[in-house]
Amino acid sequence: MNDKLTRRDFLTTAAVAAVATTSTSGLAAEAGNGKPLRILGVACSPRKGMTTAKAVQAALDAAKAVDPRIQTELIDLGGLHIAPWSPKPPEDDMKDLLPKFQDPALGGVIIGSPSYFRSLSGLAKCFLERLAPLREPKMVLADKPFGVVVVGAFRNGGQEMTIEQIQAILLCFGMIPVGGHAPAFQGATLLSTNDSIAQDDLGLKTAAQLGKRLGEAALKLAAINA
């Protein structure tokens, strides 16, 4: 009997603490001084302005709709030159991108990639490798939420495998993976038909769900860290 009472007392205390934390976070969010949160979306396709960029933009639009404080920016890597990581990285387009991820207002990141041979694009791999300076001496991206958007030529064209690969890389930065509500539990998975995602209602729904969840997560984490 004593054990049961102890457990009940523990659960009651935990519930009260959870409510208190939620209330505090809510107040922090309301009293967040109106500070903007920036969510960056990166389209890692060599084809500028095509389906991956449009899919990432759909997720960004949903994130921005969550709260007026959320600002978004699409970074389309198509046509840019980004070499893989090396001890002495070359002078390329990455030098203009890295400062965007060091911005104190950064609230979250959405990474988009086409699925090539059931894997992330080579451009996505190079870009993610070149974020390495954000790991040492300080984990700049730690505790920031991220989501993944993947476009494939088939409904089951390796999109979820590619999501897992990108998630594994960003976990090395201490980031927090965010999925969506059904049907986007892991991330957004879109089907490209004739170079268009416009007819993929299901895939666009996953992008919207992911963006919405990322926006919500960014606000909650910003309130906790305020």
Side-chain angles (χ1 to χ4, degrees), residues 119-203:
S119 185
L120 71 167
S121 68
L123 184 56
K125 186 67 163 58
C126 289
F127 170 77
L128 294 170
E129 287 181 358
R130 293 289 297 282
L131 292 178
L134 303 184
R135 293 184 64 205
E136 296 178 355
K138 181 181 178 181
M139 298 277 277
V140 176
L141 298 176
D143 299 325
K144 295 187 185 295
F146 74 91
V148 185
V149 175
V150 180
V151 180
F154 304 95
R155 175 60 66 193
N156 302 109
Q159 288 93 326
E160 291 182 345
M161 294 173 65
T162 302
I163 288 173
E164 291 175 355
Q165 293 160 8
I166 294 174
Q167 286 176 338
I169 293 171
L170 291 180
L171 285 172
C172 297
F173 290 82
M175 299 188 76
I176 300 173
V178 173
H181 297 298
F185 290 117
Q186 289 175 268
T189 57
L190 292 97
L191 170 65
S192 173
T193 304
N194 297 323
D195 274 341
S196 174
I197 57 172
Q199 303 304 316
D200 184 16
D201 293 336
L202 177 63

Side-chain angles (χ1 to χ4, degrees), residues 9 15 22 42 51 102 141 146 152 171-172 183 195 215 225:
D9 291 341
T22 302
V42 187
T51 52
Q102 298 168 311
L141 298 176
F146 74 91
L171 285 172
C172 297
D195 274 341
N225 296 321

Side-chain angles (χ1 to χ4, degrees), residues 30-77:
E30 291 180 2
N33 298 323
K35 292 182 179 179
L37 282 178
R38 181 172 293 276
I39 294 178
L40 297 177
V42 187
C44 303
S45 169
R47 304 192 308 154
K48 185 177 179 64
M50 296 300 288
T51 52
T52 299
K54 291 175 181 176
V56 173
Q57 186 62 62
L60 288 174
D61 290 343
K64 187 174 183 178
V66 169
D67 191 279
R69 286 168 292 175
I70 295 178
Q71 301 175 352
T72 61
E73 179 183 353
L74 173 66
I75 300 173
D76 192 342
L77 301 185

